[in-house]
Amino acid sequence: QQQVKQSPQSLIVQKGGISIINCAYENTAFDYFPWYQQFPGKGPALLIAIRPDVSEKKEGRFTISFNKSAKQFSLHIMDSQPGDSATYFCAARMDSSYKLIFGSGTRLLVRP
Amino acid sequence: ETGVTQSPTHLIKTRGQQVTLRCSSQSGHNTVSWYQQALGQGPQFIFQYYREEENGRGNFPPRFSGLQFPNYSSELNVNALELDDSALYLCASSGGGSRTEAFFGQGTRLTVV
């Protein structure tokens, strides 16, 4: 119940295309869902986050879609750029705790 | 830059040795969490410190221990190192005015040989 399942494991997208990464969770007590971007040799950097009372949140080229009934959420990267090539992690947390439960990661490669 | 700094950046230790990793949290943050990230995997929660007290622990044995100091900086100590302890160790700080967000340092790459 504590798991967050992430797919796909890897993704190749052409420059200008849309990258879509999906996550699913079981624990309905989760109420904060961030996405992190990680470059090799670096720590994860917070990209965008959403709470379950909102179905969509957009920041620049990054959009989170949230489906509370299906217990799923996804990250969309519009107009993907080679600089977006990184590993992306979804995560979930209960607001009563700072403990983040991470997905297994998606390695994104954006080809020029 | 998140303002969270970790030291050292890389470390090589021998099996059975002990190691101490350090983290300086972002200004104004009173909570520090430690995560272990094995190669190709997502970070796994080790434990969290809030105002110098352990405030939650993941599925890690007691040989993983920590401290938080009055200035909210923190240490992670690992005794009796095993080969499987080789990983990137991440520190995240949170709290203060931005309660929900966790900001990670660049990590310490520990290699146990």
Side-chain angles (χ1 to χ4, degrees), chain A residues 6-28:
Chain A
Q6 183 171 347
S7 63
Q9 188 175 14
S10 62
L11 183 61
I12 300 175
V13 173
Q14 289 296 125
K15 179 182 175 183
I18 302 174
S19 304
I20 302 175
I21 304 170
N22 301 298
C23 285
Y25 64 98
E26 289 294 325
N27 191 340
T28 55

